[in-house]
Amino acid sequence: MKSKLSRRRFLATAAATVVPAAIAQASPRVAGALNSLAAAAPDSPAGTWKDAGVIDVSRSPYAKLKTVPVRAVEIREGFWSKRRVTNIESSIPSMHDELVDHGRMNNFLRLEGRSSAPQIGPVYSDSDIYKWAEAVGFALQTADHSQLRSTTLEMIHQVVATQEPSGYIDTYYQDGRKPLRMLYETQTTGHELYCLGHMLQGAIAIYRATGDRTLLDAGIRMVDDFLLPNYGPGANQKGIVAGHPEIEMSLIELYRTTGKRAYVDLAGYILHGDERIPLRPQQIVYMFCGIPFTSRTHLEGHAVRAMYACCGATDYYLETGDPAYWKTLNTLWEDLVHDQLYVTGGVGARETGEAFGDPYELPNARAYGESCAAIGVMMWNWRMLTASGDARFTDVIERSLYNGINSGMSLDGRTYCYRNPLAFDPEGDSSDRHAPEGRIRNPWYDTTCCPPNLERTFASLPGYFYGTSDDGVYVHLYDNSAIDWRLGDGRRFRIEQTTRYPWEGNVRIAVDPATPSEFTLHVRIPGWSQQTSVRVNGTDQSGIQPGKYLPIHRRWSAGDVVELNFDMSTRLLKANPAVNEDRGRVAFQRGPIVFCMEMLDQPDVTRAPSIVGYTAHLDDTTVPHYAPDLLDGVMVLEHPGSVASVVADTSLYFSGTDNHKAAESPTTLRLIPYYAWDNREPSSMQVWIPFQVG
Ligand code: FUB
Ligand code: ZN
């Protein structure tokens, strides 16, 4: 059966189901939509499938914080609303078309005899459908986009129709390649468990949105009927290795959804590694699995694999409290932030192996910085935050989200970065397979892991803003938003934020418990805000520390207001001198936003070909001004600097005292947020800018 819906209509209707007003003013509509969604699943225990957060740690014994449902938070008109509307109006529908046009659904339809197209795409192609479905699931958790819902449910029926009686689903290994299925060699490279993991995550998001169990039940069948009986530690079972970590965190989320403990045990077994599967040393590095997770001491190998392994290991800790895991996770986290994290919150220095480099190996133009890897950083830090309530993890989430993740999707939501370099020359090396013809943003990649990953992240964003704990509520992220949820003991509360964050540092938080209640409101003081004031109903608070949550314990009543005032002065950051490429350079950060220079913004742009470089004057003052018509509205930084041009003398080298040959003239550097780069005509870009003192 062909899709009942033409793609043109799909786009039109998907766009029509969400308007900015739905995000700005959603409550009554969302409530109505949720009622109808609830009615779709009369057999679900009331209040369970609808109450889960991005991950459901409501019963996780080692979760210090509880997540809140995505649907409990409304992100209102502000910094993230445009991105989120674009995601639903443009990105998710156009990615649906791309997936269909590139034969990814035909892979399923072929197995049902409904397509004669050959199997197409890399081994992990099924996962892109599932990640896209997960994006839809999160979108449906905040509003009922009915067309999106029916299209996705129809696709899900096409997917589950291919499930074999054994429970197996993976189009790449059905039909001709069946003999290769789950061979040890296939497990290391074939992505069967990676695809299953994404299937489970997509299924859970759809289930938590709609109560529809079609994909979830298929996923459970594959785990219960195919995986659990045949793979694991038993003498009559075969060995198992993740190959590309992903299955671990999804099995644990499946446990949280169903209560079946065997899923945690299997995840733990995979995290431990199965000695029956012989792996070469470089496979152990690259795949970040196959040996005990707790034996790892540093991040290495394929960056997405490592980040997803850390997510699974943190989930395992949240359920088991195994101290060896917590120790290793903290060791790896220290490695992340001290040696490996780009200032943009991305990771993965090397194109070869899409991998972490050596400590401090953080090239700029050659940075790999895959969008999926930055998303992995955020997902992992979200879990670490959940386990600890420690704001150092939220600082990393914010850095990655506003910069290295946000850069991954163009402002119109239709093109994506696979790599997120920190310097770029459109005239440069054209051998970059992820920047064909010098374009870093493309609508489609044959390995299209990043686009639907970005879509699911932006769709799930409301779930990251707040949390609850035994003693109260946490405010993690700042933007115009409202939460309507309950404390751990069931008391209801509302919180509303009003702000122009991240452009301005004032945040007004209105606290509105259903009845006057004593609890603690933990407000995050970002690590970058060196001078912060916090007032409660006009009274200054003490104990404020950058990079910590400030606990405010009192009896809260309707009408109480907390005012935060963050330090928005522009910071000129230097890197550790061991980072070769950044020595003698500065990066500009204002609030959570990292900036960059694009050549086309510079006053000297007309003589661009003759310009060889810019220098920032370190001791001068940066002037920020908001440009409402530029790049959907951004803060622009202006900073005094110098511009060096080509000199007439073409000698390659000359004496360092020969100043006239290195003549520089004064100029004003103009910087835009890094996330918004390459949204106009191609232009060279750099984040780290050489500086001179004075
Ligand atoms: O292997 C599946 C995905 O494709 C990885 O996560 C990405 O890095 C890309 O290689
Ligand atoms: Zn990717």
Side-chain angles (χ1 to χ4, degrees), residues 122-125 127-128 131 189 191 194 198 243-245 286 302-305 308 353-354 368 370-373 418 433-434 447-450 453:
V123 283
Y124 34 77
S125 294
S127 70
D128 301 324
K131 241 187 271 179
T189 59
H191 289 69
Y194 171 87
H198 280 300
H244 187 313
Y286 172 75
H302 186 263
V304 183
R305 282 172 167 84
Y308 285 14
E354 306 182 307
Y368 203 66
E370 183 181 339
S371 295
C372 287
Y418 190 108
R433 70 192 165 102
H434 293 304
T447 291
T448 207
C449 49
C450 300
N453 216 351

Coordinates of all heavy atoms in Angstrom, one line a residue, residues 122-125 127-128 131 189 191 194 198 243-245 286 302-305 308 353-354 368 370-373 418 433-434 447-450 453, ligand 1:
P122 N 23.5 2.5 4.0 CA 24.4 1.8 4.9 C 23.7 0.9 5.8 O 22.4 0.9 6.0 CB 25.1 2.9 5.6 CG 24.7 4.2 5.0 CD 23.5 4.0 4.2
V123 N 24.4 0.1 6.5 CA 23.9 -0.9 7.5 C 22.9 -0.3 8.5 O 22.1 -1.0 9.0 CB 25.0 -1.7 8.2 CG1 25.6 -2.7 7.4 CG2 26.0 -0.8 8.8
Y124 N 23.2 0.9 8.8 CA 22.4 1.5 9.9 C 21.2 2.3 9.4 O 20.6 3.1 10.2 CB 23.3 2.4 10.8 CG 24.4 3.1 10.1 CD1 24.1 4.2 9.3 CD2 25.7 2.6 10.1 CE1 25.2 4.9 8.6 CE2 26.7 3.2 9.4 CZ 26.4 4.4 8.6 OH 27.4 5.0 7.9
S125 N 20.8 2.1 8.2 CA 19.8 3.0 7.6 C 18.4 2.9 8.3 O 17.7 3.9 8.5 CB 19.6 2.6 6.1 OG 20.7 3.0 5.4
S127 N 17.9 2.8 11.4 CA 18.0 3.7 12.6 C 17.5 5.1 12.3 O 17.0 5.7 13.2 CB 19.4 3.7 13.2 OG 20.2 4.4 12.3
D128 N 17.7 5.5 11.1 CA 17.3 6.9 10.8 C 15.8 7.1 10.8 O 15.3 8.1 11.2 CB 17.9 7.3 9.4 CG 19.4 7.2 9.4 OD1 20.0 7.5 10.5 OD2 20.0 6.8 8.4
K131 N 14.9 7.1 14.5 CA 15.3 8.4 15.2 C 14.3 9.5 14.8 O 13.9 10.3 15.6 CB 16.7 8.8 14.8 CG 17.7 8.9 15.9 CD 19.0 9.5 15.5 CE 19.9 8.4 15.0 NZ 21.2 9.0 14.5
T189 N 30.4 -4.7 13.5 CA 30.3 -3.6 12.4 C 28.9 -3.5 11.9 O 28.6 -2.5 11.2 CB 31.2 -3.9 11.2 OG1 30.8 -5.2 10.7 CG2 32.7 -4.0 11.6
H191 N 25.7 -3.1 13.1 CA 24.8 -2.2 13.7 C 23.4 -2.8 13.9 O 22.4 -2.0 14.0 CB 24.6 -0.9 12.8 CG 25.8 0.0 12.8 ND1 27.0 -0.3 12.2 CD2 25.9 1.3 13.2 CE1 27.8 0.7 12.4 NE2 27.2 1.7 13.0
Y194 N 22.4 -1.5 17.3 CA 22.3 -0.1 17.3 C 20.9 0.3 16.7 O 20.2 1.1 17.2 CB 23.4 0.5 16.4 CG 23.3 1.9 16.0 CD1 23.9 2.9 16.8 CD2 22.8 2.3 14.7 CE1 23.8 4.3 16.4 CE2 22.8 3.6 14.3 CZ 23.3 4.6 15.2 OH 23.3 5.9 14.8
H198 N 17.7 2.2 18.6 CA 17.0 3.3 18.1 C 15.5 3.0 17.9 O 14.6 3.8 18.1 CB 17.6 3.9 16.8 CG 18.8 4.8 17.1 ND1 18.7 5.9 17.9 CD2 20.1 4.7 16.8 CE1 19.9 6.5 18.0 NE2 20.7 5.7 17.3
G243 N 29.0 -3.2 19.5 CA 29.5 -2.7 18.2 C 29.5 -1.2 18.1 O 30.5 -0.6 18.0
H244 N 28.3 -0.7 18.1 CA 28.1 0.8 18.3 C 27.2 0.9 19.5 O 26.0 0.7 19.4 CB 27.4 1.3 17.0 CG 27.4 2.8 17.0 ND1 26.9 3.6 18.1 CD2 27.7 3.8 16.1 CE1 26.9 4.9 17.8 NE2 27.4 5.0 16.6
P245 N 27.7 1.3 20.7 CA 26.9 1.5 21.8 C 25.6 2.3 21.5 O 25.7 3.3 20.7 CB 27.8 2.2 22.8 CG 29.1 1.7 22.5 CD 29.1 1.6 21.0
Y286 N 38.1 1.8 19.2 CA 37.1 2.5 18.3 C 35.7 2.3 18.7 O 34.9 3.3 18.7 CB 37.4 1.9 16.9 CG 36.3 2.4 15.8 CD1 36.4 3.7 15.3 CD2 35.3 1.5 15.4 CE1 35.5 4.1 14.4 CE2 34.4 1.9 14.5 CZ 34.5 3.2 13.9 OH 33.6 3.6 13.0
H302 N 35.8 6.3 18.5 CA 34.6 6.9 17.8 C 33.8 7.7 18.8 O 33.3 7.2 19.8 CB 33.8 5.8 17.1 CG 32.7 6.3 16.3 ND1 31.4 6.5 16.8 CD2 32.7 6.8 15.0 CE1 30.6 6.9 15.8 NE2 31.4 7.1 14.7
A303 N 33.7 9.0 18.5 CA 33.1 9.9 19.6 C 31.7 9.6 19.9 O 31.3 9.6 21.1 CB 33.3 11.4 19.1
V304 N 30.9 9.3 18.9 CA 29.5 9.0 19.2 C 29.4 7.7 20.0 O 28.6 7.6 20.9 CB 28.6 8.9 17.9 CG1 27.2 8.7 18.2 CG2 28.8 10.2 17.0
R305 N 30.1 6.7 19.6 CA 30.1 5.5 20.3 C 30.5 5.7 21.8 O 29.8 5.2 22.7 CB 31.1 4.5 19.7 CG 30.5 3.8 18.4 CD 31.7 3.0 17.7 NE 31.2 2.1 16.7 CZ 31.0 2.4 15.4 NH1 31.2 3.7 15.0 NH2 30.6 1.5 14.5
Y308 N 27.6 7.5 23.6 CA 26.5 6.7 23.9 C 26.8 5.6 24.9 O 25.9 5.2 25.7 CB 26.0 6.0 22.5 CG 25.3 7.0 21.6 CD1 25.3 8.4 21.7 CD2 24.5 6.5 20.5 CE1 24.6 9.2 20.9 CE2 23.9 7.3 19.6 CZ 23.9 8.7 19.8 OH 23.3 9.5 18.9
G353 N 38.2 7.8 11.7 CA 37.6 7.1 12.8 C 36.5 8.0 13.5 O 36.0 7.6 14.5
E354 N 36.3 9.2 13.0 CA 35.3 10.1 13.6 C 35.6 10.1 15.1 O 34.7 9.9 15.9 CB 33.9 9.6 13.3 CG 33.6 9.5 11.8 CD 32.2 9.1 11.5 OE1 31.7 8.1 12.0 OE2 31.6 9.7 10.6
Y368 N 36.3 17.5 13.7 CA 35.2 16.7 13.2 C 33.9 17.2 13.8 O 33.0 17.6 13.2 CB 35.5 15.2 13.5 CG 34.7 14.4 12.5 CD1 35.0 14.4 11.1 CD2 33.7 13.5 13.0 CE1 34.3 13.6 10.3 CE2 33.0 12.7 12.1 CZ 33.3 12.8 10.7 OH 32.6 12.0 9.8
E370 N 31.1 16.0 15.1 CA 29.9 15.5 14.5 C 28.7 16.0 15.4 O 28.7 15.9 16.6 CB 29.9 14.0 14.4 CG 28.7 13.4 13.8 CD 28.7 11.9 13.7 OE1 29.8 11.3 13.7 OE2 27.6 11.3 13.5
S371 N 27.6 16.4 14.7 CA 26.4 16.8 15.5 C 26.0 15.7 16.5 O 25.6 16.0 17.6 CB 25.3 17.2 14.5 OG 25.7 18.3 13.7
C372 N 26.0 14.5 16.0 CA 25.6 13.4 16.9 C 26.4 13.3 18.2 O 26.0 12.9 19.2 CB 25.7 12.0 16.2 SG 24.4 11.8 15.0
A373 N 27.7 13.6 18.0 CA 28.6 13.5 19.2 C 28.3 14.6 20.2 O 28.3 14.4 21.4 CB 30.1 13.6 18.7
Y418 N 27.0 17.9 9.3 CA 27.5 16.6 9.9 C 28.7 16.9 10.7 O 28.7 16.6 11.9 CB 27.8 15.7 8.7 CG 28.1 14.3 9.2 CD1 27.2 13.2 8.9 CD2 29.3 14.0 9.9 CE1 27.5 11.9 9.3 CE2 29.5 12.7 10.3 CZ 28.6 11.7 10.0 OH 28.9 10.4 10.4
R433 N 34.2 14.7 2.7 CA 33.0 14.1 2.2 C 31.7 14.6 2.8 O 30.6 14.4 2.4 CB 33.1 12.6 2.3 CG 33.0 12.1 3.8 CD 33.4 10.6 3.9 NE 33.7 10.3 5.3 CZ 32.8 9.7 6.1 NH1 31.7 9.3 5.6 NH2 33.1 9.5 7.3
H434 N 31.9 15.3 3.9 CA 30.7 15.9 4.6 C 30.5 17.4 4.2 O 29.6 18.0 4.8 CB 30.8 15.7 6.1 CG 30.8 14.3 6.5 ND1 29.7 13.5 6.2 CD2 31.6 13.5 7.2 CE1 29.9 12.3 6.6 NE2 31.1 12.3 7.3
T447 N 25.0 8.8 5.1 CA 24.9 8.5 6.5 C 24.2 9.7 7.1 O 24.8 10.7 7.4 CB 26.3 8.4 7.0 OG1 26.9 7.2 6.5 CG2 26.3 8.3 8.6
T448 N 22.9 9.5 7.3 CA 22.1 10.7 7.7 C 21.7 10.6 9.2 O 20.6 11.0 9.6 CB 20.9 10.9 6.8 OG1 20.5 12.3 6.8 CG2 19.7 10.0 7.1
C449 N 22.7 10.2 10.0 CA 22.5 10.1 11.4 C 22.2 11.4 12.1 O 21.3 11.5 13.0 CB 23.7 9.4 12.1 SG 25.2 10.1 11.7
C450 N 22.9 12.5 11.7 CA 22.8 13.7 12.4 C 21.4 14.4 12.3 O 20.9 14.9 13.3 CB 23.9 14.7 12.0 SG 25.5 14.0 12.3
N453 N 18.7 13.1 14.5 CA 19.2 13.2 15.9 C 19.0 14.7 16.4 O 18.5 14.9 17.5 CB 20.7 12.9 15.9 CG 21.1 12.2 17.2 OD1 20.3 12.0 18.1 ND2 22.3 11.7 17.3
Ligands
FUB1 O1 27.5 4.3 12.7 C1 26.3 5.0 12.9 C2 26.5 6.5 12.8 O2 27.0 6.8 11.6 C3 27.5 7.0 13.8 O3 27.0 7.3 15.1 C4 28.0 8.2 13.1 O4 29.2 8.7 13.7 C5 28.1 7.8 11.7 O5 29.3 7.1 11.5

